[in-house]
């Protein structure tokens, strides 16, 4: 059951972001989250609170007409109250001029079990390919 709950938590991150369900998005994260999107943006990983992540993603993803983040090929490793889930992704972004920017690659999610269930404490996104321009 833990394996399915871990996958569900990771899927909810993508779903709530795409559906612009910002308050629900915050619920999938631990109190402190390390985000590593350096393969796409450069820089350094950032450690943020859920509210900070939601505010940043609301601005970034809100600039698109629509987004769709698909996750698949989940591999879950459980170790007591921690878990690692790796997954392939494809993320399509429809821009305001109706063109598309699509990325593909992998995610690594580091999760921790809390009283409220599994929560994401770390995300590493590795972009492998892209089509179109951001």
């Amino acid at each position: 059951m833990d394996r399915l709950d871990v996958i569900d938590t990771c899927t909810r991150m993508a779903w709530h972001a795409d559906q612009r369900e910002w308050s629900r998005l915050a619920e999938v994260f631990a109190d402190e989250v390390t985000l590593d999107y350096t393969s796409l943006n450069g820089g350094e990983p950032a450690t943020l609170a859920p509210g900070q992540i939601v505010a940043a993603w609301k601005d970034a993803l809100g600039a698109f007409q629509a987004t769709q983040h698909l996750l698949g090929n989940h591999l879950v490793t459980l170790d007591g109250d921690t878990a690692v889930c790796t997954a392939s992704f494809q993320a399509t972004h429809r821009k305001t001029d109706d063109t598309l920017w699509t990325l593909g690659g992998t995610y690594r999610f580091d999760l921790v079990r809390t009283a409220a269930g599994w929560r994401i404490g770390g995300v590493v996104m590795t972009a492998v390919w892209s089509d179109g321009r951001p």
Side-chain angles (χ1 to χ4, degrees):
M1 194 64 184
D2 280 335
R3 181 181 179 281
L4 294 176
D5 289 342
V6 164
I7 292 170
D8 187 64
T9 300
C10 298
T11 301
R12 286 178 185 279
M13 184 192 88
W15 176 264
H16 295 315
D18 289 336
Q19 299 304 311
R20 311 307 198 247
E21 297 172 348
W22 305 119
S23 63
R24 302 289 312 272
L25 176 61
E27 295 171 4
V28 305
F29 294 116
D31 292 338
E32 191 174 81
V33 183
T34 301
L35 294 180
D36 184 345
Y37 282 76
T38 57
S39 76
L40 180 64
N41 302 323
E44 298 293 324
T47 301
L48 304 168
Q52 293 172 298
I53 297 168
V54 169
W57 289 8
K58 188 175 183 179
D59 286 344
L61 297 178
F64 296 100
Q65 285 186 37
T67 59
Q68 184 180 51
H69 292 76
L70 302 176
L71 300 176
N73 301 329
H74 298 87
L75 299 174
V76 176
T77 303
L78 296 163
D79 186 9
D81 289 335
T82 63
V84 173
C85 178
T86 56
S88 300
F89 80 87
Q90 183 170 314
T92 302
H93 308 75
R94 179 169 293 282
K95 299 186 295 185
T96 57
D97 66 1
D98 280 333
T99 60
L100 299 177
W101 173 47
T102 305
L103 297 170
T106 62
Y107 272 109
R108 175 196 162 114
F109 300 97
D110 295 301
L111 297 96
V112 61
R113 187 193 321 261
T114 71
W118 289 98
R119 297 295 180 259
I120 298 169
V123 178
V124 178
M125 188 278 287
T126 303
V128 175
W129 61 268
S130 68
D131 186 27
R133 295 177 166 223

